[in-house]
Amino acid sequence: MRELERYRKNKVSYEKERVEGERQFAGVSGRIIDFTVEILSGSFREFIVDVAADEKYFTRFTFQKEKGIMEVDRTYSGVARDIVCIRRAKITDSGERVKLRFIMDRNSVELFVNDGELALSTVIYTRLEAQDIRFICDGGAVVDLEKYEIEHRKE
């Protein structure tokens, strides 16, 4: 992933921001991006990140704190075929702090939990104009957030 860092530009960051209910952050959107949200603390059951979102479509990543489970749900991502839409994986170290790094490239999302402890990759079918990123918490969480655009170069 160090190779990728050479192509990052236009950094947007937030520190110790509170997420209660649904929230979006100015400058945090796009489809060719590298962004990290680190949950620093909070009292909640689920912390959700919707990517490639618009008024109709999204792909949902849900951290279930009490169970230590990360779920990816493509049900509303524009899937036209009968495919597996929901996958779950156990996070072995789901302590108070959880780091979620998303790398997106148009029609794919890779998620690295806690610096690679768990990796989830998925193809998404959402139309490319769907570029919103939403954060949803059923309680309250304090997060740090950092987002970069990824520059495509032809070499």
Side-chain angles (χ1 to χ4, degrees):
M1 286 203 272
R2 292 210 169 178
E3 176 75 18
L4 180 64
E5 290 175 10
R6 293 185 356 197
Y7 299 98
R8 298 191 314 185
K9 64 179 187 173
N10 301 328
K11 178 180 177 179
V12 175
S13 65
Y14 293 88
E15 290 185 3
K16 295 184 174 85
E17 290 287 333
R18 191 145 178 86
V19 177
E20 296 175 324
E22 183 175 323
R23 181 158 182 204
Q24 290 181 267
F25 292 89
V28 179
S29 64
R31 289 291 283 266
I32 305 173
I33 60 173
D34 178 354
F35 79 94
T36 301
V37 58
E38 186 169 3
I39 304 167
L40 304 174
S41 63
S43 178
F44 60 90
R45 287 187 321 273
E46 292 185 338
F47 185 89
I48 296 168
V49 181
D50 286 347
V51 300
D54 62 14
E55 62 283 341
K56 186 174 179 182
Y57 298 108
F58 58 87
T59 298
R60 176 162 285 178
F61 292 84
T62 303
F63 170 55
Q64 299 171 6
K65 184 178 179 179
E66 293 170 5
K67 296 177 183 176
I69 290 177
M70 193 73 218
E71 177 183 280
V72 59
D73 184 350
R74 300 183 298 172
T75 302
Y76 300 100
S77 71
V79 174
R81 296 186 185 92
D82 184 18
I83 63 170
V84 175
C85 288
I86 298 175
R87 293 183 317 182
R88 293 177 187 91
K90 182 85 172 144
I91 301 170
T92 54
D93 181 21
S94 62
E96 183 68 20
R97 297 178 91 131
V98 176
K99 186 176 184 181
L100 308 173
R101 182 178 182 190
F102 295 84
I103 299 174
M104 299 178 61
D105 189 8
R106 290 188 185 93
N107 292 8
S108 67
V109 182
E110 291 185 79
L111 169 62
F112 300 91
V113 179
N114 294 336
D115 296 315
E117 172 195 319
L118 172 67
L120 295 168
S121 296
T122 191
V123 174
I124 58 175
Y125 303 93
T126 317
R127 59 192 189 96
L128 292 178
E129 293 79 16
Q131 298 201 14
D132 290 344
I133 297 172
R134 298 186 292 246
F135 301 89
I136 304 164
C137 186
D138 64 358
V142 177
V143 303
D144 283 350
L145 182 61
E146 189 172 270
K147 176 247 174 185
Y148 297 88
E149 294 172 16
I150 300 172
E151 180 179 18
H152 276 267
R153 293 183 183 168
K154 298 195 192 269
E155 297 183 25

